[in-house]
Amino acid sequence: MSNVHDHPELAAGPNPFFDCISPFISYADLPKVLASSPLAHIKWKDIPANRREPLLSICDQHFAPSSALLEPASGLQILLRRSLAQNNPLDPAVRKRCNQIGMACTREDLRSLENVQGGGMLIAGMTGTGKTALLKRALTVFVPKQVVEYEKSDSAGFYSLRQCVYLLVDHPSNGSRGALLKRILHTLDEKLGTTYFEQHTKTTNIDTLLVTVSKLLTLHRVAVLCIDEKQQSTFEDSPWRLDFTLFYLQLMNLGVSIVLSGNPLAFEHLKLFSQVMRRFSVGGICLFEPAVTGKEIWWKQHFVPQARKFSIVENWNIDTDLRSQFEIENSSGLPGLFVAYHQEVQRSALRRAYDTAEVCEQDFLEAQESPRFKHLRSVALSLSSDDFSVANQFIDIPPANKTSKRASTVTAKQPALIEGRKSTVVSAAQRLLTQFKSKQTREANQLSAQLKAFKTMSPDDIRALGITADLINGFEVQLASLKASGKKTASPTKGDGEAKQ
């Protein structure tokens, strides 16, 4: 049985759901508890250096917490514990609500139930910032046993219960509602050994799937549903983005906490709705950003020293400042790219070693051209380059993550990390104008579709999103402005054309 010292929530009364999770972890203790060092239990020095390469694959299990991750980790713990407390099976009101959810046949039935005021959380960051790594590590720490079996309990009101404490799924690449709902069913099956996905393979009615998923998440007492890999193309630009949002709000109302993780560009529309932002602020709205200079405390003092501890070579024979410069230029302050580069540097050293291994400057140079890293290096260079064609080769990097070109101390000892591609001012301006027009068109289409969606929504959905007449009027004014601006940029005068030549 759990006690109040481990679980302060039990001061309000017993709750068997807290038996399955870790004791509350204080904010100050989070770095120590989240840290993971798989090499600490492996005698890698007993293996000849030229036979160690397979050990590089366990780098994924090495977790280096930094101060930048503490708030998101804390927010996730808050959501988990809050949801378990709200869904205490010993509470008669909770048992009644769960039974009512189980008997619901339509979305209207679900809407009619008492609102639990569940919470959510947004984790936004470009690729490589460590969002997924944090989610997986934190969930494993907070919930050591994801699936818990309960026997018959008269006080809890069930004969038996197989609980799935949390669920982590990736947003589908096609961005459809049906694909997400069936992915949730499939993930439930993987964890519980059920056949829900097979039972609903042929179900195409979205409302039926929405109700089914809501009932099953409640049946198995899922406290937190995490949806990762939200992208601009699959969420922000999706014609069903409001439907997704309403579904998440519905689950929160039923007591399931929602964590959305993905590219910042995917969440722009959510910021328009104060009600939505209020609900997602319960766990926190967290932005993961790269280290711009390489001197940020979270990067230089916390992440890098811990990440470097994953090492299966005996010696690092390279100047400390030069090593840091290689690392920041090839990762642009992205933890995911740092880890990938760190692996390839060691791989290079191991492949030319025999009994022991030593890393030198040449390994850092060769790692840049590794087939497992050279395309990732392009991502790093796109963040720090002043060259237009290099800086704009990826469409999913938020403008806020573009950093100024860093002065290099490495270039004195090697060819420049970036070979400047010559592009004329005219071609650069043309590309910028094309991107601007494309963005205007996309925003106008989204606003137009959103206004049409508002007109078909039920009063309940309107209230759930917190939509007001002023907000709709504001959208209409913004749409008219975008259309007028689009006409001007689409019809340049003759003089304008001559000036560009």
Side-chain angles (χ1 to χ4, degrees):
M1 291 291 293
S2 300
N3 57 59
V4 176
H5 181 270
D6 289 340
H7 303 286
E9 296 88 348
L10 298 184
N15 184 338
F17 285 166
F18 281 90
D19 292 342
C20 67
I21 66 172
S22 71
F24 173 73
I25 302 170
S26 69
Y27 191 84
D29 287 338
L30 277 172
K32 177 178 63 177
V33 178
L34 289 173
S36 175
S37 303
L39 289 179
H41 310 291
I42 297 176
K43 296 181 179 180
W44 55 268
K45 289 185 178 180
D46 293 345
I47 305 171
N50 62 359
R51 306 288 295 173
R52 294 177 198 159
E53 188 174 337
L55 294 179
L56 291 174
S57 62
I58 65 173
C59 188
D60 292 341
Q61 301 171 32
H62 185 89
F63 190 79
S66 69
S67 55
L69 303 182
L70 297 187
E71 275 298 346
S74 177
L76 186 57
Q77 182 176 220
I78 289 170
L79 280 186
L80 171 68
R81 304 181 72 89
R82 184 176 185 271
S83 184
L84 292 174
Q86 287 179 327
N87 292 281
N88 186 351
L90 301 182
D91 185 342
V94 170
R95 295 200 300 271
K96 178 181 178 181
R97 174 167 48 83
C98 290
N99 289 334
Q100 290 174 326
I101 294 172
M103 293 186 292
C105 297
T106 65
R107 294 182 68 185
E108 287 68 30
D109 292 339
L110 293 175
R111 289 195 191 102
S112 68
L113 300 178
E114 180 185 0
N115 187 335
V116 181
Q117 285 295 317
M121 178 179 182
L122 294 181
I123 301 177
M126 66 167 288
T127 185
T129 47
K131 306 180 300 297
T132 302
L134 172 65
L135 274 178
K136 291 181 176 179
R137 178 58 185 163
L139 287 169
T140 301
V141 168
F142 298 148
V143 189
K145 191 175 181 181
Q146 184 177 1
V147 176
V148 185
E149 299 277 358
Y150 295 91
E151 297 180 350
K152 180 181 178 180
S153 172
D154 293 332
S155 58
F158 47 70
Y159 290 100
S160 65
L161 172 65
R162 180 177 295 173
Q163 182 188 25
C164 184
V165 184
Y166 69 86
L167 212 58
L168 174 60
V169 300
D170 287 343
H171 193 85
S173 57
N174 66 5
S176 73
R177 296 167 295 173
L180 174 62
L181 295 170
K182 290 188 175 181
R183 182 164 288 188
I184 293 173
L185 294 178
H186 190 269
T187 306
L188 267 176
D189 288 343
E190 287 182 337
K191 302 302 178 183
L192 300 172
T194 49
T195 58
Y196 298 131
F197 177 80
E198 183 180 343
Q199 294 173 29
H200 295 279
T201 300
K202 296 182 180 180
T203 303
T204 56
N205 185 284
I206 297 300
D207 282 352
T208 299
L209 282 172
L210 284 169
V211 173
T212 298
V213 169
S214 299
K215 292 168 69 172
L216 290 174
L217 292 176
T218 301
L219 173 64
H220 293 289
R221 304 300 196 273
V222 175
V224 180
L225 172 63
C226 303
I227 302 177
D228 197 9
E229 298 298 340
K230 288 279 191 181
Q231 302 297 333
Q232 180 180 14
S233 60
T234 59
F235 190 43
E236 173 69 16
D237 294 344
S238 170
W240 304 293
R241 63 183 187 174
L242 289 182
D243 298 88
F244 281 124
T245 304
L246 287 168
F247 172 55
Y248 301 144
L249 289 174
Q250 174 184 294
L251 289 179
M252 285 189 264
N253 290 341
L254 297 178
V256 180
S257 292
I258 301 295
V259 176
L260 302 183
S261 173
N263 193 296
L265 298 174
F267 302 127
E268 289 299 313
H269 69 286
L270 296 181
K271 299 175 183 177
L272 300 174
F273 306 110
S274 59
Q275 171 79 337
V276 175
M277 295 304 283
R278 180 180 70 82
R279 298 293 287 276
F280 279 106
S281 292
V282 173
I285 298 172
C286 305
L287 179 62
F288 284 32
E289 296 181 296
V292 176
T293 65
K295 297 179 181 179
E296 291 83 349
I297 292 177
W298 74 265
W299 175 268
K300 185 175 181 179
Q301 296 183 21
H302 301 159
F303 172 75
V304 172
Q306 292 296 321
R308 284 177 175 176
K309 287 183 180 180
F310 185 89
S311 171
I312 52 175
V313 298
E314 282 80 0
N315 300 306
W316 291 75
N317 185 17
I318 183 171
D319 177 76
T320 301
D321 291 339
L322 180 60
R323 177 180 181 179
S324 296
Q325 190 64 38
F326 269 119
E327 290 169 339
I328 193 63
E329 289 195 0
N330 282 281
S331 68
S332 270
L334 291 169
L337 269 60
F338 178 99
V339 170
Y341 185 53
H342 187 60
Q343 281 181 283
E344 291 310 305
V345 169
Q346 293 182 72
R347 195 186 309 276
S348 173
L350 292 171
R351 287 182 173 180
R352 58 179 177 74
Y354 188 69
D355 288 329
T356 60
E358 180 177 272
V359 169
C360 64
E361 181 179 341
Q362 186 60 33
D363 296 310
F364 281 85
L365 293 171
E366 291 184 2
Q368 293 176 171
E369 302 304 320
S370 161
R372 285 163 297 279
F373 185 76
K374 63 182 179 181
H375 292 291
L376 296 179
R377 180 169 174 260
S378 298
V379 175
L381 297 183
S382 73
L383 288 178
S384 58
S385 176
D386 288 333
D387 185 286
F388 180 86
S389 59
V390 174
N392 290 273
Q393 58 185 309
F394 298 103
I395 63 174
D396 60 346
I397 296 179
N401 289 136
K402 302 286 186 182
T403 62
S404 60
K405 180 80 166 58
R406 301 181 181 91
S408 172
T409 59
V410 175
T411 50
K413 300 191 176 187
Q414 65 170 97
L417 286 172
I418 303 174
E419 288 282 338
R421 293 187 209 169
K422 300 208 172 185
S423 57
T424 64
V425 174
V426 173
S427 64
Q430 288 173 337
R431 284 192 63 181
L432 282 172
L433 181 60
T434 300
Q435 289 179 353
F436 176 70
K437 290 179 180 177
S438 177
K439 181 181 179 182
Q440 278 193 317
T441 301
R442 185 173 66 252
E443 289 180 351
N445 290 340
Q446 288 175 350
L447 274 175
S448 180
Q450 203 149 270
L451 285 169
K452 290 180 181 178
F454 289 161
K455 294 176 182 178
T456 62
M457 281 184 181
S458 69
D460 287 333
D461 288 342
I462 292 289
R463 281 194 297 273
L465 289 172
I467 297 171
T468 63
D470 288 342
L471 179 63
I472 293 177
N473 290 337
F475 280 172
E476 290 174 341
V477 170
Q478 187 178 355
L479 178 60
S481 175
L482 282 170
K483 287 182 176 179
S485 178
K487 289 179 181 179
K488 291 179 181 179
T489 56
S491 306
T493 63
K494 183 176 179 182
D496 290 333
E498 292 173 349
K500 292 178 183 176
Q501 293 177 0

